[in-house]
Amino acid sequence: MKRCFASFVAMGKRLMKRQHTMEEVEKSIEDKHERSKVLEGLLGYILNSTQEAAVVPPYVALAVRPNPGFWEFVKVNANDLTVDSISASEYLKFKESIFDENWANDENALEIDFGALDFSTPRMTISSSIGNGASFISTFMTSRLHEKCGSEKLLLEYLQDLNHHGENLIINTNLDTVAKLQNALVKAELFVSAFPKDTPYQNFEQRFKDWGFEKGWGNTAERVKETIRLLSEVLQAPDPAKLELLFSRLPTIFNIVIFSPHGYFGQSDVLGLPDTGGQVVYILDQVRSLEEELLLRIKQQGLVVKPQILVVTRLIPDARGTKCDQELEPIVNTKHSHILRVPFQTEDGVLRQWVSRFDIYPYLERFAEDATARILEHMERKPDLIIGNYSDGNLVASLMASKLGITQGTIAHALEKTKYEDSDAKWKELESKYHFSCQFTADIISMNATDFIITSTYQEIAGSKDRPGQYESHEAFSMPGLYRVVSGINVFDPKFNIAAPGADQSVYFPYSERQSRVTSFHPAIEELLYSKEDNNEHIGYLADRKKPIIFSMARLDTVKNISGLTEWYGKNKRLRSLVNLVIVAGFFDPSKSKDREEIAEIKKMHALIEKYQLKGQIRWIAAQTDRYRNGELYRCIADTKGAFVQPALYEAFGLTVIEAMNCGLPAFATNQGGPAEIIIDGISGFHIDPNNGDESSNKIADFFEKCKTDAEYWNKMSKAGLQRIYECYTWKIYANKVLNMGAIYGFWRQLNKEQKLAKQRYIHMFYNLQFRNLASNVPIPSEVPQQPTRAA
Ligand code: UDP
Ligand code: LCN
């Protein structure tokens, strides 16, 4: 162990990652047997769980993560191997001193500590509970209602406040004590029990009114009775499951605002444009599912009310052929939902052009003000719930929610911090290109301001055994010269909830549903896949069309690793003999792209096709924007008994994986990120390791070989994929969960008012003293030429 630590410190100050420390250990103790013996000791245990080491000779400070969400910091003296426990702040100082000695030694360097304000927030304690916040909060609220004298009064007040456009719902102010309410509930339950189950509420509405009840209990006598019973039981002896059920029934949410300012946000011809990918697909599907669920709930509540959902984005006058210059656009396949576009204002007037999500920060405060005014005008009242998306949308949502006192939810889709190595410690060198100072400040503000956080997977919050989660990486970090976060967000905070998205099942349905297949697309798809000539839409051809197809579709970013898949295929003769490869991604002509990363990928693809002589076995199709046709394309690939492959180096969630599975196409997807959770390896699909191409391509080849000998194997995997989707990844499940969160956290806000207020004051100061200055340093496009990026 002394040899290991001597080698750590031999090169002077440096930051080492987990992989480096383990490599050094291997080099220092070559003998396997000896190494495993050394690693059995305490220091070995620590090293095995170490994520990062800050080497400042003679010390090596270690950030140790024995389990998801659990961190310990120690400092080891390399000379005598003494080990001391240190605080997060001390660890960060070690780390900072590698990058900026003066800052690390500054006793008055700014430390951000949100943990110090969480004096009364309950915390979960076990890793496996992370992401089940709503259930935990229901349990906690239940015990609060039980123990704390006067808490039922808060529930009463909450019920009294329920209204739609000023019209009381559930109860009115005549029921002004808990005892009166309980009495009235007993009378009402008895009364309503005498009616046939399906008697409409109107038949006994007047009698209910006389007792102090208003509409919203249910549409039929049976439903009304159930809701009354639930409330009676909760008041008598609270139980978390009943409390959750009660909140799912109460008429609490009718109007929702969803912010997604950046990118081109539209319904057609926008996918593939800079910053416009899965986030847009997700939000449009989310709106449809939320509206459907709201309409169902409103009907069951016995109300005649029109719900409204507004997606608020920026209006881009230079819309490049999209509808992003239209102020109001109804959302297709909804009854009452719209996209509302509000322009970015600068001192010189409206900003005409698109700006990258990295440069968006100077416009957000004004956008929040203008958008709030337009939303209130359009809705004619305050919304009941505000949901933000991505760093910019979450900040705007936080500003509006805190101004109007509304329940807020946030969605990150992908947090940028973990995507770029050491983006916090090296923020200064990356600042001019990415403005991470603004982004991470905005993220920390909205994570703390929001009432609840919606994530797609567990790993997004707390990662896996070996890899910290995206949110987890915001727990303690430092941007030397700016501030040190000693407690940013705690992944055990019950605000975290997992609600995975689905795929639109009217578009992505199984290949086997023959009667619903969109055969009108077949001639075009036949041309797209099999015609022999290259054109603007495709290059390469498939000489043997009897072979199954392995298919992938993604933006042509480095991280999506489409070129990686092409190389795996090129190298693996066995795989090439079994299947053809079809890729949908980007363009073929590098001069058409302005994005450096994409240009490099295009060139790499051409080089690989040449190097491995892939013509005749590969079809490379340009980015596709028609999702209906894409749905049929997945199914046509399934007709060939093929598979979908998602080879990304890292994928936050991965909508294409669930689209493919919805179409009955067996999926092979990266084990780095969301897909590792979507698929159970070997059961509902397969995991592949993007960092081990040979192993991955052989795994795919094995599957197709097995399919040759076992005719049922492909069907079995196809069905198992579908079953996984129906159990866990549908928009119906999602919408239910999110509306329940809106209701539960709405009440929790009230129970937790003082705590919330204290935190809001701290956030307000942080916003004013930090964020505003940082945002004002980001140049506006008229001053600096734009560098478009492609990502979402
Ligand atoms: N997509 C598309 N055409 C393309 C590439 C992708 O329509 O050429 C769609 C794809 O069907 C999916 C979304 O864009 O709905 C991509 O979402 P995903 O979560 O896979 O990745 P993201 O682009 O958000 O990183
Ligand atoms: C952003 C990503 O990078 C994808 O992994 C997600 O599927 C998409 O957003 C939708 O949440």
Side-chain angles (χ1 to χ4, degrees), residues 2-3 62 83 121 305 338 406 435 515 557 633:
K2 268 206 160 171
R3 275 210 309 272
L62 303 170
V83 183
T121 306
V305 160
H338 291 85
I406 296 169
H435 308 296
Q515 71 292 355
D557 277 0
L633 179 58

Side-chain angles (χ1 to χ4, degrees), residues 278-279 282 413-414 419 456 501 555 560 651-655 792:
Q279 184 175 328
Y282 176 111
H413 296 280
K419 276 197 197 168
S456 300
R555 292 175 291 111
K560 296 284 182 190
E651 185 64 63
F653 180 68
L655 287 176

Side-chain angles (χ1 to χ4, degrees), residues 163-165 252-259 294 307-312 340 371-387 396-397 400-408 742 749:
N163 73 89
H164 180 257
H165 283 237
T252 51
I253 297 172
F254 303 105
N255 297 318
I256 304 177
V257 166
I258 298 176
F259 277 111
L294 277 176
Q308 292 191 72
I309 304 181
L310 267 189
V311 176
V312 185
L340 173 69
T372 304
R374 287 290 295 113
I375 292 163
L376 294 178
E377 222 174 277
H378 181 90
M379 285 191 162
E380 296 176 343
R381 55 156 291 153
K382 286 201 282 188
D384 308 302
L385 175 64
I386 301 181
I387 299 178
V396 173
M400 181 173 171
S402 113
K403 184 171 169 187
L404 302 182
I406 296 169
T407 312
Q408 182 198 350
R749 274 170 71 81

Side-chain angles (χ1 to χ4, degrees), residues 271-272 276-282 285 413-414 419 508 553-557 559-560 584-586 621-627 630-631 634 644 646 650-659 791-792:
L271 283 181
T276 306
Q279 184 175 328
V280 170
V281 176
Y282 176 111
D285 285 349
H413 296 280
K419 276 197 197 168
Y508 306 102
M553 174 162 76
R555 292 175 291 111
L556 204 48
D557 277 0
V559 71
K560 296 284 182 190
V584 169
I621 301 169
Q624 296 293 305
T625 55
D626 182 342
R627 65 198 203 118
N630 289 348
Y634 284 114
F644 186 76
Q646 214 285 15
Y650 180 76
E651 185 64 63
F653 180 68
L655 287 176
T656 51
V657 178
I658 56 170
E659 289 166 0

Side-chain angles (χ1 to χ4, degrees), residues 486-779:
V486 294
S487 168
I489 186 83
N490 185 327
V491 293
F492 291 96
D493 192 312
K495 65 170 63 175
F496 282 105
N497 285 279
I498 304 166
D504 184 337
Q505 289 173 331
S506 66
V507 179
Y508 306 102
F509 54 84
Y511 76 99
S512 51
E513 287 180 10
R514 296 280 156 202
Q515 71 292 355
S516 313
R517 293 284 298 264
V518 198
T519 47
S520 55
F521 285 132
H522 284 185
I525 291 176
E526 165 76 20
E527 197 283 331
L528 201 61
L529 292 175
Y530 295 114
S531 73
K532 286 270 159 22
E533 282 77 40
D534 290 355
N535 63 20
N536 286 340
E537 211 181 4
H538 51 74
I539 60 170
Y541 67 96
L542 308 179
D544 179 358
R545 60 176 295 172
K546 288 199 289 302
K547 281 187 197 163
I549 288 173
I550 56 170
F551 174 56
S552 198
M553 174 162 76
R555 292 175 291 111
L556 204 48
D557 277 0
T558 317
V559 71
K560 296 284 182 190
N561 200 28
I562 290 294
S563 56
L565 171 62
T566 309
E567 181 143 36
W568 304 348
Y569 180 75
K571 274 187 181 166
N572 192 325
K573 290 212 177 76
R574 190 161 64 103
L575 186 61
R576 286 174 69 167
S577 72
L578 288 162
V579 294
N580 289 315
L581 174 64
V582 172
I583 299 282
V584 169
F587 315 102
F588 324 121
D589 180 357
S591 69
K592 277 197 181 157
S593 174
K594 292 200 180 91
D595 182 316
R596 264 165 286 146
E597 220 177 78
E598 190 176 55
I599 293 168
E601 283 297 300
I602 295 172
K603 290 185 178 159
K604 200 166 162 194
M605 285 291 289
H606 286 295
L608 289 168
I609 292 174
E610 200 48 45
K611 179 173 171 191
Y612 293 104
Q613 294 291 300
L614 292 176
K615 289 253 165 87
Q617 291 185 302
I618 189 174
R619 178 70 135 199
W620 178 9
I621 301 169
Q624 296 293 305
T625 55
D626 182 342
R627 65 198 203 118
Y628 293 97
R629 197 167 87 170
N630 289 348
E632 198 51 34
L633 179 58
Y634 284 114
R635 286 185 287 273
C636 289
I637 306 285
D639 291 337
T640 75
K641 298 280 179 229
F644 186 76
V645 185
Q646 214 285 15
L649 300 175
Y650 180 76
E651 185 64 63
F653 180 68
L655 287 176
T656 51
V657 178
I658 56 170
E659 289 166 0
M661 287 165 78
N662 264 288
C663 294
L665 193 54
F668 289 80
T670 179
N671 62 9
Q672 300 296 311
E677 238 164 273
I678 300 174
I679 290 172
I680 304 174
D681 189 29
I683 308 273
S684 42
F686 301 93
H687 293 166
I688 47 174
D689 181 354
N691 299 311
N692 192 342
D694 289 345
E695 183 196 280
S696 299
S697 63
N698 277 322
K699 198 165 176 177
I700 304 172
D702 291 346
F703 170 76
F704 284 101
E705 240 161 30
K706 189 161 177 190
C707 289
K708 275 193 153 176
T709 53
D710 176 356
E712 261 312 295
Y713 190 50
W714 189 94
N715 289 339
K716 187 180 138 198
M717 291 312 293
S718 163
K719 282 189 191 139
L722 276 164
Q723 191 186 337
R724 175 84 179 147
I725 291 290
Y726 298 148
E727 279 166 11
C728 308
Y729 298 97
T730 71
W731 282 111
K732 171 91 186 144
I733 302 176
Y734 174 97
N736 223 321
K737 281 192 182 173
V738 170
L739 290 182
N740 290 353
M741 286 176 214
I744 288 168
Y745 288 95
F747 182 48
W748 172 236
R749 274 170 71 81
Q750 300 217 358
L751 283 186
N752 204 26
K753 231 186 238 155
E754 293 92 16
Q755 157 90 70
K756 178 114 194 131
L757 193 65
K759 213 166 185 183
Q760 248 175 14
R761 305 308 296 167
Y762 188 69
I763 292 170
H764 184 69
M765 186 148 65
F766 190 39
Y767 175 83
N768 263 277
L769 299 180
Q770 282 290 326
F771 180 81
R772 275 183 151 181
N773 286 338
L774 294 168
S776 67
N777 291 335
V778 179

